[in-house]
Amino acid sequence: MSAHSYEEIEASAGRIALPPWPFLETCAAALEQGTDSIAAFRQVLADGDASLKQRFADDEPVEALVRDRARLVDIVLRRAWSLHVGAREKDVALIAVGGYGRGELHPCSDIDVLILLPKTDLDDGHEGLEKFLTFLWDIGLEVGHSVRTIDDCQRESAADVSVATTFIEARLLSGPERLFQAMRRALGQENIWSSQAFFEAKVAEQSARHHRYHDTGYNLEPNVKASPGGLRDIQTIGWVAKRHFGAETLDELVGHGFLTASELRKLRQAQAFLWKVRFALHVLTGRREDRLLFDHQIRIAKMFGYEDASYTLAVEQFMQRYYRTVMDVSLLNEMLLQLFREAILADAPATIVPLNPRFQIRNDYLEITAEDTFARHPSAILELFRLMQDHPEIRGVRATTIRSLGRHLWLIDEEFRQNPRHHRLFLELLRAPNGVTHEFRRMNLYGVLGRYIPAFGRVVGRMQYDLFHAYTVDAHILFVLRNLRRLALPRFEHELPELSRLMSAMPKPEIAYLAALFHDIAKGRGGDHSELGSVDADSFCLEQGLSRYEARMVAWLVRNHLTFSVTAQKKDISDPKVIQEFARQVGDQTHLDYLYLLTVADVRGTNPKLWNSWKASLFHDFYERVRRVLRRGLEAPVDHEELAAETKAHALELLEREQVTPEAAAGVWARFNELYFLRHSPAEVAWHTRLL
């Protein structure tokens, strides 16, 4: 029998040689003594896990730990195979697949193996295989196994790209090399899953996975492995590269021209950090846990040495590093998959459509016309996003342009921010009829938004450590912007018809959008974030060329963005004095309308579970009561009799449509006192009356 040693795999993959782990030699020697004692194997595994945990606590590089965990399992499996299978079934191969095949194991990672049979079954019924699998269970090693022939592998791989992906990372542990190579040939792209088909399937698979996590990696309890920007996104890059280019490691993508050295370094650093977080999760929980739950976040932050600062908790600092890492992975994943698409799917000369001297469309992607475009025309940085809004047929920004943009972010300095042309471009982005949400998210991902609005840059990746908010501050802000945009677009008016009508009537919707951008921008600075944010908003709006009234309106909305929700939910809105006081605070109908819209967008963007029909009804009722007071005029005192009479009059209008006569209504209302008509809206009074 021949097998690939771990060192051979490392060398063939071009990985940097890892320093020896002395324990492995001790482990191998102990198991090679010929014993098949379950206790001996259990002891080796327990000692190995304890050693890895101690090395992790000593802050050894996690890359060495995940490789050594795989090495340890290699030794145990090979020895167990030799004892129970090897001599009896020489034509059967033991193959590591999946993450274990890559040689990457965390403390509680799945250990997946394939037992590969020759085409013709053996006569002895594979008694040794049964003993081998039972033995693994007895020693406490949970191994996911499959027993297949080459034909089985080919058939199942052809039917399911995830199975094919598992076999792409196969590594021979023990058994005949010829059988292993025959399997690899049978699963080659000339037989199943061509490069094109494999690429498209993996992109679709990634898109579906992202959708399961609401297309955001900035959930406050993310999945380190599966959420957007997590380890699975890095693995997707590796799978496509291996299938099409035969690249065993990400390093080889530099040689192929897909990655720069600095991008490779950033990707490696991101993978190492995410590996470290995942390793810590397994150590803390003692099981395969990939979710960064709140309790785990606190313990890992302490484990990693973070300490509370004046205005930020240790856990907030740790999670901000996590979210910024996720952002790096997401950007690199987008760039690489786009470059792969060009290399794998492009089978015809490029189609180029000029847009202006600075930009053109190449094969449905926007690109700059020259490498020095951003250096010669800094305004092109913002113009890029405007062109994306004006040309919805464009699929995205070309990877080479994203890369060039990243190298020129330094151009967005104070002089850039004070340029009137840039002010106009920024406001055009907000006022565009389409693509506002998409392009502001793209601006955030590419690092432009945080440079243009430095206060926003400080909250990128900042978590809000509570059970109320479900997303990071920057993600929440952009969700609020999205919610306002949906109210402004006719195709979404079925969601909240009344609010959509209100939004469509607003003369300057960009005021609401700017309030959304600034309403939480001062989180984490200490003090009242509403007051601090309103100062930032006022200054920014004046710089952008808005009028004094508009700037004050935005600042007022930021300062008061919580008051509508707090008043509606924590005070007695049936009390006319509460309504009068709030009406006096908002001052006029325009302020009320903007605040109502911002409040609903904010609550819906905080946590999907917080918005419900009860809250919608509560907010609507509060809004209507305040609106009626504003319509009567603030200077007049609250007249209970007048308010009750007005409620009755509106209720009668509604009842007449239902063929309920005023006499019949009066008979019902005789049972109620004045307080009833002060506490209920006309719609509620009409509903109750009709039922009675």
Side-chain angles (χ1 to χ4, degrees):
M1 293 184 295
S2 66
H4 296 285
S5 71
Y6 195 87
E7 290 70 20
E8 290 170 342
I9 296 297
E10 291 283 279
S12 67
R15 290 175 178 153
I16 299 173
L18 294 175
W21 182 23
F23 173 80
L24 290 177
E25 295 182 7
T26 305
C27 163
L31 297 181
E32 285 294 335
Q33 292 176 354
T35 177
D36 61 353
S37 163
I38 291 174
F41 277 81
R42 281 180 173 272
Q43 190 62 51
V44 163
L45 289 170
D47 291 347
D49 288 343
S51 176
L52 288 169
K53 289 179 183 178
Q54 184 57 52
R55 292 170 61 193
F56 182 70
D58 294 339
D59 204 26
E60 286 196 28
V62 71
E63 297 93 330
L65 303 184
V66 297
R67 308 278 188 222
D68 282 346
R69 168 70 177 163
R71 287 171 164 177
L72 173 64
V73 174
D74 283 356
I75 290 172
V76 170
L77 287 186
R78 284 188 178 126
R79 182 55 184 163
W81 180 267
S82 175
L83 288 170
H84 298 284
V85 180
R88 304 176 205 182
E89 299 183 6
K90 298 178 181 179
D91 293 328
V92 180
L94 178 65
I95 299 170
V97 295
Y100 179 39
R102 286 195 306 273
E104 300 166 4
L105 283 182
H106 289 76
C108 303
S109 289
D110 292 335
I111 302 170
D112 295 322
V113 298
L114 165 68
I115 297 172
L116 188 61
L117 305 177
K119 287 189 177 181
T120 11
D121 255 352
L122 303 181
D123 297 330
D124 61 4
H126 309 305
E127 181 182 349
L129 298 180
E130 295 175 5
K131 290 183 178 179
F132 168 71
L133 295 171
T134 301
F135 184 78
L136 295 182
W137 178 265
D138 290 341
I139 64 175
L141 204 60
E142 295 185 18
V143 175
H145 74 279
S146 58
V147 182
R148 296 185 173 106
T149 64
I150 292 176
D151 288 342
D152 294 334
C153 294
Q154 188 178 60
R155 182 176 60 256
E156 295 184 29
S157 295
D160 189 339
V161 71
S162 62
V163 175
T165 305
T166 298
F167 290 147
I168 282 176
E169 299 175 313
R171 176 167 59 94
L172 181 64
L173 294 173
S174 189
E177 176 79 20
R178 57 178 172 73
L179 184 61
F180 176 67
Q181 293 300 337
M183 181 197 77
R184 297 193 70 165
R185 288 192 297 273
L187 301 181
Q189 56 179 297
E190 63 278 1
N191 294 316
I192 60 169
W193 291 108
S194 66
S195 287
Q196 294 87 341
F198 185 80
F199 172 79
E200 291 175 333
K202 296 312 290 184
V203 170
E205 184 180 73
Q206 176 175 287
S207 178
R209 172 169 50 81
H210 285 183
H211 188 63
R212 289 197 298 273
Y213 291 92
H214 308 290
D215 294 307
T216 177
Y218 313 113
N219 188 291
L220 294 195
E221 292 186 320
N223 187 301
V224 178
K225 184 177 179 181
S227 288
L231 286 167
R232 189 64 88 200
D233 282 8
I234 299 177
Q235 291 163 2
T236 297
I237 295 168
W239 291 329
V240 174
K242 189 165 189 175
R243 188 65 172 176
H244 183 72
F245 307 104
E248 294 290 341
T249 67
L250 296 173
D251 305 58
E252 295 180 42
L253 294 178
V254 176
H256 285 288
F258 290 98
L259 274 175
T260 65
S262 62
E263 289 166 349
L264 174 65
R265 182 168 58 254
K266 184 178 288 188
L267 196 57
R268 284 291 187 202
Q269 290 171 347
Q271 178 175 261
F273 179 74
L274 294 175
W275 269 358
K276 188 174 180 181
V277 173
R278 190 175 187 225
F279 203 100
L281 281 170
H282 289 200
V283 168
L284 286 175
T285 63
R287 64 178 185 276
R288 185 174 66 85
E289 176 60 87
D290 297 327
R291 298 167 302 161
L292 255 178
L293 304 180
F294 280 140
D295 290 346
H296 305 333
Q297 292 170 14
I298 296 173
R299 298 168 68 189
I300 292 175
K302 183 177 181 181
M303 182 186 292
F304 287 6
Y306 289 91
E307 297 180 354
D308 291 346
S310 299
Y311 301 123
T312 55
L313 300 174
V315 65
E316 293 171 338
Q317 299 169 49
F318 160 63
M319 290 304 295
Q320 188 161 27
R321 164 103 187 261
Y322 172 84
Y323 292 119
R324 292 191 173 186
T325 298
V326 163
M327 182 175 286
D328 287 342
V329 172
S330 294
L331 182 56
L332 289 167
N333 174 273
E334 176 188 340
M335 287 174 51
L336 283 167
L337 289 184
Q338 186 199 123
L339 289 170
F340 290 163
R341 179 180 296 278
E342 290 183 4
I344 295 171
L345 301 183
D347 55 359
T351 302
I352 297 177
V353 179
L355 293 179
N356 59 37
R358 295 165 298 284
F359 289 96
Q360 62 191 20
I361 302 173
R362 178 189 292 268
N363 291 339
D364 299 329
Y365 284 88
L366 184 66
E367 72 169 356
I368 49 179
T369 54
E371 180 58 33
D372 62 348
T373 292
F374 293 125
R376 288 188 295 111
H377 307 284
S379 60
I381 292 174
L382 293 178
E383 185 185 10
L384 177 150
F385 303 100
R386 276 294 294 121
L387 288 171
M388 291 296 296
Q389 289 178 324
D390 288 342
H391 296 272
E393 74 277 7
I394 298 176
R395 298 182 63 170
V397 182
R398 195 156 184 257
T400 52
T401 298
I402 297 174
R403 184 175 287 153
S404 179
L405 177 61
R407 289 197 300 268
H408 290 90
L409 286 176
W410 62 273
L411 291 170
I412 308 177
D413 56 9
E414 193 57 33
E415 182 181 350
F416 183 100
R417 289 187 282 268
Q418 296 299 328
N419 189 315
R421 170 167 170 74
H422 301 155
H423 300 162
R424 289 194 298 272
L425 280 168
F426 184 83
L427 291 178
E428 285 175 11
L429 282 163
L430 276 177
R431 293 166 175 159
N434 294 297
V436 176
T437 299
H438 287 156
E439 295 318 307
F440 270 81
R441 284 181 173 172
R442 196 189 307 272
M443 289 170 70
N444 188 35
L445 179 62
Y446 293 176
V448 172
L449 190 56
R451 297 279 301 193
Y452 192 74
I453 308 177
F456 189 93
R458 289 192 287 272
V459 297
V460 171
R462 179 177 293 280
M463 71 179 297
Q464 303 174 81
Y465 195 72
D466 57 48
L467 295 175
F468 185 65
H469 292 84
Y471 306 105
T472 58
V473 178
D474 58 320
H476 164 67
I477 286 173
L478 294 177
F479 271 123
V480 175
L481 177 63
R482 180 205 66 171
N483 291 340
L484 287 169
R485 282 295 297 162
R486 290 172 79 92
L487 293 176
L489 298 174
R491 67 179 181 273
F492 296 114
E493 63 184 10
H494 63 280
E495 295 180 348
L496 297 169
E498 179 215 355
L499 285 157
S500 291
R501 286 192 294 272
L502 187 61
M503 187 68 179
S504 64
M506 302 307 292
K508 293 183 178 293
E510 65 269 20
I511 288 177
Y513 304 154
L514 284 165
L517 284 175
F518 280 87
H519 80 285
D520 274 355
I521 208 166
K523 282 288 184 74
R525 289 195 221 164
D528 185 341
H529 76 279
S530 300
E531 291 291 340
L532 295 173
S534 72
V535 174
D536 289 347
D538 186 64
S539 174
F540 179 82
C541 291
L542 291 174
E543 286 177 359
Q544 301 307 299
L546 270 68
S547 69
R548 168 57 63 184
Y549 170 79
E550 292 167 340
R552 286 179 175 173
M553 173 72 81
V554 174
W556 182 88
L557 287 169
V558 172
R559 185 166 54 253
N560 293 282
H561 73 273
L562 296 174
T563 56
F564 188 104
S565 175
V566 169
T567 304
Q569 296 181 85
K570 295 189 176 181
K571 293 186 178 182
D572 181 6
I573 64 172
S574 67
D575 184 345
K577 291 182 180 179
V578 171
I579 303 300
Q580 180 80 6
E581 180 183 345
F582 189 82
R584 187 173 290 108
Q585 186 175 357
V586 297
D588 59 45
Q589 187 65 45
T590 302
H591 281 74
L592 175 63
D593 289 346
Y594 275 122
L595 187 58
Y596 182 32
L597 291 165
L598 178 62
T599 300
V600 173
D602 187 17
V603 174
R604 295 181 75 210
T606 298
N607 188 323
K609 299 177 182 177
L610 288 179
W611 186 253
N612 51 45
S613 58
W614 172 82
K615 192 162 294 185
S617 176
L618 175 69
F619 284 8
H620 169 74
D621 188 24
F622 181 46
Y623 168 79
E624 287 295 329
R625 289 169 188 263
V626 177
R627 188 175 68 85
R628 283 154 56 195
V629 170
L630 289 172
R631 190 175 60 206
R632 285 200 314 273
L634 289 173
E635 298 307 319
V638 179
D639 189 322
H640 291 191
E641 292 182 4
E642 181 183 339
L643 183 58
E646 185 176 303
T647 298
K648 291 179 181 180
H650 284 297
L652 282 175
E653 292 177 9
L654 297 173
L655 288 167
E656 286 177 1
R657 300 174 195 169
E658 302 290 333
Q659 284 76 49
V660 178
T661 65
E663 292 76 18
V668 173
W669 293 349
R671 312 177 195 178
F672 304 134
N673 58 25
E674 183 183 76
L675 187 59
Y676 168 81
F677 295 97
L678 295 176
R679 288 184 178 274
H680 294 283
S681 68
E684 290 172 332
V685 172
W687 174 42
H688 298 162
T689 304
R690 188 169 58 253
L691 289 176
L692 291 172

